[in-house]
Amino acid sequence: MPASNPPSVAPESQRHTPGAPQFDAAAGVFALLADPTRLHLVWSLTQGEADVNTLTDICGAARPAVSQHLAKLRLAGLVQVRKDGRRSVYTLRDGHLRRLAIEALNHADHLVTGTPPHD
């Protein structure tokens, strides 16, 4: 029986060698996520949609700072926003970013706790 690919791995038909545009785009995502507050916001959104007030409470950052970080993430296409009355509700754009944030923080947890790496 052939082994199936895990859901986070693209099927063979979708794999290709990335070029400069892909590396540049990926580096841009990593640059945005290199800020701890933005990474915290993205991680928070892996749990589901949230408004600015909720994200401010979760992150512990000042509301204007959270709004500015969310604006950068939105302009980069990493989050999307919808209006719910007077509230702006944010969600992650796709599952790739969700998995990237979760895996980055799992990796960091291994580094911080000394847990051995694994596949």
Side-chain angles (χ1 to χ4, degrees):
M1 176 175 211
S4 63
N5 289 333
S8 62
V9 176
E12 191 66 38
S13 62
Q14 293 178 5
R15 292 184 202 163
H16 65 280
T17 302
Q22 286 82 7
F23 285 112
D24 288 343
V29 171
F30 285 126
L32 281 167
L33 296 181
D35 180 277
T37 301
R38 281 195 290 271
L39 182 56
H40 197 161
L41 290 169
V42 169
W43 177 84
S44 299
L45 292 171
T46 67
Q47 310 302 304
E49 66 180 27
D51 65 12
V52 176
N53 291 331
T54 302
L55 291 167
T56 298
D57 290 343
I58 291 170
C59 291
R63 190 176 194 282
V66 169
S67 293
Q68 288 178 356
H69 286 302
L70 288 168
K72 287 181 182 181
L73 293 169
R74 183 181 54 78
L75 288 171
L78 302 183
V79 300
Q80 49 194 15
V81 63
R82 69 173 173 81
K83 289 291 188 180
D84 182 19
R86 295 181 68 188
R87 295 177 342 140
S88 294
V89 180
Y90 291 84
T91 58
L92 291 180
R93 192 113 172 117
D94 61 49
H96 294 294
L97 185 59
R98 178 175 289 104
R99 289 186 297 275
L100 180 63
I102 290 169
E103 285 300 320
L105 288 160
N106 284 338
H107 177 74
D109 189 54
H110 283 269
L111 293 174
V112 170
T113 64
T115 305
H118 58 82
D119 283 341

